[in-house]
Amino acid sequence: MSTTDPSALRALAEQSNAWPFEQAKAIVARLKKKPKDEVLFETGYGPSGLPHIGTFGEVARTTMVRHAFRVLTEDKIKTRLIAFSDDMDGLRKVPDNVPNKEMLSEHLGKPLTKVPDPFGTHSSFGAHNNARLRAFLDTFGFDYEFASSTDYYTSGKFDATLLLVLERIDKVMAIMLPSLREERAASYSPFLPICPRTGVVLQVPITAHDVKAGTITYDDPDTKEPVTLPVTGGHCKLQWKPDWAMRWVALGIDYEMAGKDLIDSVKLSGKICSALGGLPPEGFNYELFLDDKGQKISKSKGNGLTIDEWLRYASPESLSLFMYREPKAAKRLHFDVIPRNVDDYQQFIDGFTRQDPKQQLANPVWHIHAGHPPAADMPVTFQLLLTLVSSSNAENAATLWGFIGRYRSGVTPLTHPKLDAMVGYAINYYRDFVAPTKQFREPTDTERAALQDLRDALSQLSPESSAEDIQNVVYEIGRREPFLDAVKKGKDGRPGVSLDWFNMLYQVLLGQEKGPRFGSFVAVYGLANAVAMIDGALARSA
């Protein structure tokens, strides 16, 4: 597709129902109601822990919507993505995965940017985790501006809006109180003073407020003395729902998505935003990830995959595809979803150049790569690599490259660095997930006879036979009871072969439930090796 004609691209984008365009259209409609010359996208982050796979998902998806918006507006409106860190939150508990826990426990309740760094590398625990967030986002090449809650509160960027919250505190309270339990409501205040004596973020009742002076008053919980503080300049922070709303108003945020577990919070913050005279941002609530048992993934439980685990077994692009797909549907985030996403990503890349411009805008790789997917250049599938590792016990890259080089002459780690990376991913995946569960099943007498015939037929083929030639032989041997499929006809009009035939080959020969196209596997593995494999299976079950 030519990228030199933005208006033609925009016309196609306006017709597209790919979800990033649907989201971007809502922002375009918003601008018609409230024109502005810059659109702000935001993602939020709580820096009490390390960045995780959900952080990646939120920034990746928001980036896709931002690019879709730029296409719909022909890049005539400036856009920014703010990655906002709530680093002024009080430290609620000591995390499990940090050193110097005793030291941290002495600073509970203080803003994260006032808690010493247990790792000893930064000025505070908040600064340490912020640096981790930035390094994490930079690894994936995201275009964003980092924003620190502490910096924004203390520099005065929020002062005007904080005074507006104070002025309209009764409206804010009227929105918040019905959502709270009775005992919480009795002491609730949208303002959290930061104790000048201890530095702790206090959750205390506010005994008085002075709109003219811009102050609140509370009783010190220890000394019982009244304390008056300005709501500006970083002396107070807001409870998180009013804080979210205040931020939307102060910064003019136009788009922010959030997890399904925050639906009620988004509604409440939206009402507070409106009460402050702002327009709540566009966005949607994405579904949460589930583990292999269908339970919600939790950082504290440690169920599900971490981002480091995914990147041990597959590329960032495959993870982006997982995030692109059905963001409003709950999805299992477990190791067994990885191979499919790796190979589907390659299929989308392979098909891209054969698609017309309209189809290309519906192709996930267009959104993953901001309209410029790389050229297709992956001669083998991830599933095929996994089967090669499994069948040959080739737990080193050199052996795998020996197979690949024979199958595709001229293909080397130097000519195909992405394939070289995938070879490493396949070996890691095999070691961690396939090898521990590998189980060969014994063939029945009928299956033994079919395997013997397949062995004999393969041994008659020329070593130069193509994957298609081999697949035809595999089909021919499978055209017998109980594998014959009289309903499904082949291209030549002859009866087809049921999946049971191929499942049997994988289970008996490879010790796995499924695999790649069998002819392609044999072409890479080698006919002589395949014959020897069948001989081994027949001898094992004799």
Side-chain angles (χ1 to χ4, degrees):
M1 178 192 296
S2 168
T3 53
T4 55
D5 186 0
S7 59
L9 187 57
R10 189 199 73 217
L12 286 170
E14 285 170 347
Q15 303 304 312
S16 175
N17 58 5
W19 71 261
F21 284 124
E22 293 293 330
Q23 290 294 298
K25 286 172 198 171
I27 308 170
V28 171
R30 173 192 182 87
L31 290 187
K32 287 178 181 167
K33 289 188 286 185
K34 189 180 178 184
K36 54 192 297 201
D37 54 11
E38 181 178 71
V39 165
L40 268 75
F41 296 79
E42 181 179 57
T43 60
Y45 169 69
S48 55
L50 299 177
H52 56 93
I53 209 156
T55 311
F56 173 87
E58 192 166 311
V59 179
R61 287 166 172 165
T62 305
T63 297
M64 291 172 191
V65 176
R66 181 186 180 189
H67 177 251
F69 173 80
R70 292 177 62 185
V71 170
L72 283 172
T73 54
E74 298 181 32
D75 223 2
K76 290 174 182 172
I77 297 173
K78 187 181 175 190
T79 62
R80 289 161 55 207
L81 169 57
I82 296 172
F84 194 92
S85 170
D86 288 313
D87 58 16
M88 209 165 157
D89 277 356
L91 178 66
R92 293 182 185 87
K93 62 177 185 178
V94 177
D96 292 331
N97 55 351
V98 296
N100 297 312
K101 290 181 190 171
E102 277 186 33
M103 178 274 287
L104 278 186
S105 65
E106 295 169 17
H107 296 276
L108 285 172
K110 291 182 184 176
L112 291 159
T113 44
K114 296 296 182 186
V115 174
D117 179 14
F119 297 91
T121 57
H122 291 78
S123 58
S124 69
F125 190 32
H128 175 94
N129 286 338
N130 285 341
R132 294 287 291 266
L133 171 69
R134 283 186 297 230
F136 174 84
L137 296 178
D138 292 343
T139 300
F140 300 106
F142 289 121
D143 174 31
Y144 69 97
E145 295 171 27
F146 177 77
S148 153
S149 177
T150 302
D151 291 349
Y152 277 42
Y153 267 99
T154 56
S155 69
K157 275 190 183 177
F158 287 155
D159 281 1
T161 317
L162 287 167
L163 290 169
L164 186 60
V165 174
L166 184 65
E167 182 187 312
R168 301 186 184 178
I169 193 168
D170 292 341
K171 287 185 177 180
V172 174
M173 291 289 279
I175 292 165
M176 285 303 303
L177 290 179
S179 71
L180 302 171
R181 292 193 308 274
E182 194 175 337
E183 61 187 79
R184 179 99 169 84
S187 62
Y188 182 83
S189 163
F191 287 97
L192 301 174
I194 295 172
C195 179
R197 189 173 52 80
T198 63
V200 168
V201 182
L202 297 174
Q203 297 229 21
V204 289
I206 299 305
T207 56
H209 65 272
D210 185 332
V211 173
K212 208 171 210 178
T215 60
I216 54 165
T217 302
Y218 67 96
D219 292 335
D220 185 303
D222 295 327
T223 67
K224 310 305 178 192
E225 295 290 321
V227 181
T228 299
L229 289 177
V231 298
T232 52
H235 295 283
C236 298
K237 77 176 294 289
L238 291 177
Q239 297 268 12
W240 83 271
K241 287 164 196 162
D243 181 84
W244 208 5
M246 180 275 297
R247 192 193 313 163
W248 289 343
V249 174
L251 304 180
I253 300 299
D254 297 289
Y255 187 87
E256 181 164 8
M257 59 178 72
K260 188 183 177 183
D261 54 338
L262 298 181
I263 286 176
D264 290 341
S265 303
V266 171
K267 285 178 184 170
L268 284 170
S269 297
K271 286 178 182 175
I272 295 169
C273 178
S274 299
L276 298 176
L279 180 64
E282 307 304 315
F284 73 90
N285 293 99
Y286 52 82
E287 260 289 1
L288 305 177
F289 301 126
L290 309 175
D291 65 11
D292 58 323
K293 298 178 180 67
Q295 300 296 309
K296 189 182 102 170
I297 279 178
S298 150
K299 274 193 289 184
S300 58
K301 279 189 201 167
N303 57 340
L305 280 178
T306 67
I307 191 131
D308 288 339
E309 284 169 336
W310 187 294
L311 297 178
R312 173 171 161 76
Y313 308 120
S315 67
E317 291 84 1
S318 63
L319 179 56
S320 291
L321 174 61
F322 180 81
M323 294 301 176
Y324 175 87
R325 288 174 143 161
E326 300 172 315
K328 294 185 183 181
K331 292 199 295 262
R332 287 173 68 255
L333 180 56
H334 193 52
F335 76 89
D336 57 4
V337 306
I338 291 176
R340 179 193 159 204
N341 280 281
V342 174
D343 283 339
D344 284 0
Y345 169 78
Q346 272 321 126
Q347 281 194 324
F348 286 125
I349 288 282
D350 291 342
F352 187 78
T353 53
R354 297 191 297 274
Q355 292 176 315
D356 64 38
K358 185 180 178 184
Q359 292 169 325
Q360 287 181 340
L361 292 193
N363 187 325
V365 297
W366 190 91
H367 298 275
I368 290 168
H369 294 285
H372 300 284
D377 195 16
M378 194 63 73
V380 295
T381 64
F382 190 62
Q383 187 70 62
L384 181 53
L385 284 179
L386 282 177
T387 306
L388 279 173
V389 183
S390 182
S391 56
S392 59
N393 292 318
E395 288 199 41
N396 66 79
T399 307
L400 273 185
W401 273 107
F403 292 126
I404 296 164
R406 189 180 61 230
Y407 176 62
R408 289 271 194 270
S409 73
V411 173
T412 70
L414 287 175
T415 63
H416 288 69
K418 285 191 175 176
L419 177 54
D420 194 35
M422 199 156 86
V423 163
Y425 295 143
I427 290 170
N428 289 342
Y429 192 93
Y430 171 77
R431 282 178 183 158
D432 293 356
F433 300 123
V434 180
T437 60
K438 203 170 175 183
Q439 219 170 1
F440 296 90
R441 84 163 170 83
E442 299 298 312
T444 64
D445 290 344
T446 308
E447 290 167 345
R448 280 182 62 81
L451 283 169
Q452 183 66 53
D453 289 348
L454 178 61
R455 179 234 180 267
D456 293 342
L458 292 179
S459 64
Q460 300 300 314
L461 286 175
S462 157
E464 308 305 315
S465 297
S466 69
E468 204 57 46
D469 294 336
I470 298 167
Q471 187 75 358
N472 287 338
V473 167
V474 176
Y475 263 108
E476 193 56 47
I477 302 300
R479 280 195 178 99
R480 60 170 73 190
E481 295 294 348
F483 308 117
L484 191 70
D485 188 338
V487 178
K488 189 170 69 180
K489 294 281 193 277
K491 289 178 186 173
D492 55 5
R494 298 174 64 202
V497 180
S498 77
L499 278 176
D500 293 343
W501 166 238
F502 295 99
N503 291 341
M504 183 275 287
L505 294 176
Y506 301 133
Q507 292 161 6
V508 172
L509 300 179
L510 300 167
Q512 59 194 56
E513 286 302 310
K514 55 188 177 181
R517 201 161 183 262
F518 201 75
S520 299
F521 160 67
V522 174
V524 183
Y525 190 48
L527 281 161
N529 289 332
V531 168
M533 175 190 280
I534 297 172
D535 285 340
L538 291 172
R540 191 174 62 237
S541 62

